[in-house]
């Protein structure tokens, strides 16, 4: 595959790869990102409404499978990606999910659901370990990478929205078409991941190993990752942002019901966020023009802190006043999410320096897995103490994260390379 020939992008533009096969690359990334997003919002409803399983049983089985995959493969996928390259890792991730999703049609016990969820989560972990290396291989400078990560973040958010829409459509059509609708979602996901895997395989087979002698440092493995105190501080601070994202999805609807808000407000709030985050991506890129990405993370954390802290104001609002207040807070939250999504992985690649991008990416992605695992339980526990407790605690944690990012920005900032990370595609 020929090297990138992209010209410098105008600030704020969403940059797409300008290399042979770029259309195939974008198609593969779009399918993978949308498919994963759809399943996150659709999975529980599939087993409860589509398969007739108890909600608690389905949730426990899915969580058990996902947590097991996180524990057993959360770091191993980074080693695999650095050893064989991001394209083989992405191909394998899609192949696993293409094979596993149809098995959901025959899963009628919690053990079977947990085993299949393990496979899906393993595929997800592999994809996210390869994610940074894939983007770094086609976007040659920092601004281009911001644009690409912003685009992919928008697509994943769109996938969440499509999943929620699919749930609504499935519930509305169930009495007309029976179980056919519920059956189609896993099958369509399997077909989509098979196509995505084929495209990644073709791209990997055509690509070449890109090296710049003397500029990409040798990999040090996880020993180097865990010795990188600045990266660990960044990752630890980011846990506050990922927990805030989980809180928005899990505890906010319960909080609104507890306040006695109309039943239609939680889904409307969720849809508004799914629309606002992609809409704000160009704004986030414009805002971040020529700004240090670590300071953008601090600004994102501050926006999220203000938005979540603002939810406390809803307790003193009637239903008519709560709607505009809620809309403003969701827009602030969405802008923070847009900033976060555009620059977080750029910073991770800067820490990695190329050779260990898979390991750094896998370690960073653990915060998402941990948040998804402990977030709902933690937020529910805080909510049991007080309806205001989740928002107070998260606002404090986000403010602390903003201070950490500011400190990292002031002291020996990590250098974000304006060249692609090594793209190792196994020819062995």
């Amino acid at each position: 595959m020929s090297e990138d020939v992209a010209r410098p992008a105008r600030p704020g533009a969403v940059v797409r790869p300008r290399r042979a096969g770029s259309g195939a690359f974008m198609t593969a990334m779009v399918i993978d990102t949308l498919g994963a997003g759809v399943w996150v919002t659709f999975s529980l409803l599939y087993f409860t409404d589509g398969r007739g399983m108890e909600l608690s049983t389905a949730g426990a089985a899915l969580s058990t499978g996902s947590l097991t995959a996180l524990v057993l493969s959360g770091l191993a996928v980074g080693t695999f990606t650095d050893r064989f390259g991001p394209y083989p890792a992405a191909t394998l991730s899609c192949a696993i999910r293409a094979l596993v999703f149809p098995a959901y049609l025959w899963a009628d016990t919690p053990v079977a659901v947990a085993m299949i969820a393990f496979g899906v989560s393993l595929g997800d972990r592999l994809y996210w370990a390869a994610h940074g290396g894939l983007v770094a291989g086609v976007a040659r400078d920092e601004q281009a990478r911001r644009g690409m990560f912003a685009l992919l973040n928008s697509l994943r958010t769109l996938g969440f929205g499509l999943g929620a829409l699919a749930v609504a459509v499935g519930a509305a059509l169930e009495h007309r078409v029976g179980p056919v609708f519920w059956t189609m979602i896993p099958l369509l996901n399997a077909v989509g991941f098979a196509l995505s895997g084929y495209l990644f395989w073709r791209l990997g087979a055509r690509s070449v190993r890109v090296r710049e002698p003397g500029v990409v440092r040798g990999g040090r493995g996880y020993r180097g990752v865990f010795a990188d105190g600045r990266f660990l501080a960044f990752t630890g601070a980011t846990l506050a942002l990922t927990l805030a994202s989980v809180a928005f999805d899990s505890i906010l609807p319960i909080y609104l019901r507890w306040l006695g808000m109309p039943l239609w407000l939680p889904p409307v709030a969720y849809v508004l966020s799914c629309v606002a985050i992609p809409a704000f991506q160009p704004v986030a890129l414009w805002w971040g023009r020529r700004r240090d990405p670590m300071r953008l993370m601090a600004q994102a954390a501050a926006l999220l802190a203000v938005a979540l802290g603002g939810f406390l104001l809803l307790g003193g609002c009637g239903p008519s006043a709560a709607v505009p207040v809620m809309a403003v807070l969701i827009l602030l939250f969405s802008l923070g999410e847009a900033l976060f999504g555009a620059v977080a992985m750029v910073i991770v690649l800067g820490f990695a320096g190329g050779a260990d991008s898979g390991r750094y990416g896998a370690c960073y992605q653990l915060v998402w897995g941990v948040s998804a695992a402990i977030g709902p339980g933690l937020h529910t526990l805080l909510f049991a103490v007080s309806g205001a407790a989740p928002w107070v605690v998260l606002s404090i944690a986000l403010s602390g994260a903003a201070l950490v990012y500011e400190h990292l920005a002031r002291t020996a900032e990590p250098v974000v390379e304006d060249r692609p990370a090594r793209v190792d595609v196994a020819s062995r």
Side-chain angles (χ1 to χ4, degrees), residues 376-389:
L378 174 63
H379 301 324
T380 302
L381 179 63
L382 290 171
F383 187 79
V385 174
S386 165

Side-chain angles (χ1 to χ4, degrees), residues 145-193:
R145 292 173 189 174
R146 291 192 195 191
M148 183 68 73
F149 285 124
L151 174 63
L152 295 173
N153 185 55
S154 296
L155 290 171
R156 185 164 175 80
T157 303
L158 180 61
F160 291 152
L162 290 176
L165 178 62
V167 169
V169 171
L173 296 181
E174 186 173 12
H175 66 287
R176 296 184 182 180
V177 299
V180 173
F181 178 84
W182 303 106
T183 300
M184 291 302 296
I185 295 296
L187 293 180
L188 287 175
N189 247 10
V191 171
F193 282 120

